[in-house]
Amino acid sequence: MDELELLSDDEQLIMPDILTREQFMKFVEKSSKFEELMMMYRCAIREVQTKLEILNDEFKTKRQRNPIDTIRSRIKAPMSIYEKLRRRGYPVSIQSIADNLNDVAGIRVVCPFISDIYDVAKMLISQDDIEVMEVKDYIKNPKPNGYRSLHYVIIIPIFLSSGKEYMKVEVQIRTIAMNFWASLEHQMHYKQFENDEMPEIVNQLTDCAESIYHTDVRMQEIREDIHKMNL
Ligand code: 0O2
């Protein structure tokens, strides 16, 4: 008998050693609990996205400029959920997804200037229904490959017919320039190699990230100079 047939939707607990990728995908297709959890993450994304859009509108009205260029969101694909749970040694279960993964719901906010990143972050996290669970400032402390971005894991309530649920959402905030680097670097598929196998590639990527960052800083300085001239 298919092992998955042994698991009722309520059991939820599937031990990693009996679960292959294919079994997980089959489980996901027929599990109403998995679908319900994903629906809750989608709702949480909508809540955060609306907050960001409101802030962008208000900022535009008051300062004649949008601090947000684009907002993109995604729900982590079932296969990526499975792989992350396995990679980190967590049980493969619905409960484990909710408990152990912080980035099932992800929002990427792309801003024109570096100062916009911190302005947007401050305006978002100061809202009293948002709780900050984790902050990683990869702008002040870039990753060794040069990756820069401000990451938050926030907890936000969503309101369902059954009551209030608190959901985790990962928010990545970066400039257009940082996003340019991250998008291209993401396509290069070099991470399967160890750093010492391809130091030259990593050095070159870090170099590009540095020069992009310096350009970001200069663009902000130019904007500030223009602002002073206008005053
Ligand atoms: P995807 O497909 O974007 O979702 P955590 O998620 O906090 O438990 P981790 O990996 O320590 O674990 O978190 P971290 O460092 O905050 O990174 C999470 C996400 O940031 C990644 O998600 C990427 O989206 C992005 N990121 C981090 N480092 C890099 C990098 O070097 N290059 C690029 N292009 N993006 C990066 P996922 O799950 O890797 O992928």
Side-chain angles (χ1 to χ4, degrees):
M1 190 202 281
D2 184 341
E3 270 158 345
L4 288 175
E5 285 170 27
L6 298 171
L7 297 159
S8 77
D9 211 21
D10 290 332
E11 270 178 311
Q12 309 290 321
L13 191 68
I14 309 163
M15 297 311 292
D17 50 343
I18 64 157
L19 201 71
T20 65
R21 264 188 198 85
E22 293 67 32
Q23 287 172 323
F24 180 75
M25 292 311 281
K26 264 200 220 166
F27 170 75
V28 157
E29 269 169 32
K30 67 177 200 171
S31 164
S32 58
K33 286 281 193 305
F34 182 83
E35 185 43 40
E36 199 180 312
L37 184 63
M38 295 303 116
M39 176 276 293
M40 285 157 65
Y41 282 119
R42 284 197 296 274
C43 293
I45 283 182
R46 263 151 59 192
E47 293 278 0
V48 179
Q49 181 141 355
T50 303
K51 284 176 181 292
L52 290 164
E53 283 164 1
I54 290 171
L55 290 171
N56 208 22
D57 274 2
E58 189 208 351
F59 201 98
K60 168 88 181 172
T61 311
K62 289 190 174 157
R63 303 201 209 169
Q64 289 75 52
R65 197 176 70 73
N66 285 120
I68 297 177
D69 182 69
T70 47
I71 304 171
R72 291 185 71 176
S73 64
R74 64 107 184 87
I75 294 289
K76 207 172 186 65
M79 192 47 76
S80 305
I81 291 178
Y82 170 82
E83 275 161 9
K84 191 157 190 174
L85 288 173
R86 293 298 300 259
R87 215 169 39 243
R88 303 257 162 120
Y90 293 124
V92 180
S93 71
I94 306 276
Q95 194 58 49
S96 175
I97 295 171
D99 290 348
N100 298 316
L101 298 187
N102 297 337
D103 66 341
V104 176
I107 297 194
R108 185 166 297 148
V109 185
V110 178
C111 301
F113 294 96
I114 298 170
S115 59
D116 294 328
I117 297 176
Y118 293 98
D119 286 344
V120 168
K122 197 172 158 199
M123 291 187 289
L124 181 68
I125 62 167
S126 60
Q127 302 195 0
D128 57 17
D129 53 351
I130 285 188
E131 188 194 322
V132 175
M133 185 180 153
E134 187 182 282
V135 193
K136 288 183 193 165
D137 190 341
Y138 293 124
I139 300 171
K140 294 204 169 86
N141 305 298
K143 286 201 166 182
N145 60 1
Y147 176 77
R148 283 178 172 80
S149 190
L150 179 62
H151 290 193
Y152 277 91
V153 177
I154 58 172
I155 298 176
I156 183 162
I158 59 164
F159 298 87
L160 303 172
S161 60
S162 51
K164 187 160 47 170
E165 296 287 345
Y166 289 91
M167 304 303 295
K168 288 185 268 189
V169 178
E170 187 194 66
V171 184
Q172 301 181 350
I173 318 176
R174 54 174 83 137
T175 61
I176 297 170
M178 291 169 194
N179 194 48
F180 158 77
W181 182 94
S183 307
L184 270 55
E185 185 262 4
H186 186 64
Q187 288 188 20
M188 291 189 195
H189 305 295
Y190 66 98
K191 286 184 181 160
Q192 70 269 31
F193 304 106
E194 295 295 325
N195 274 7
D196 52 357
E197 278 183 292
M198 40 167 32
E200 194 42 41
I201 298 290
V202 176
N203 284 345
Q204 289 190 53
L205 283 169
T206 313
D207 239 40
C208 289
E210 292 296 319
S211 63
I212 285 168
Y213 181 66
H214 288 304
T215 308
D216 250 346
V217 171
R218 282 185 61 200
M219 291 299 273
Q220 179 155 321
E221 286 167 355
I222 295 168
R223 194 198 69 187
E224 281 160 12
D225 287 346
I226 294 171
H227 182 67
K228 279 184 208 146
M229 284 157 72
N230 282 335
L231 288 178

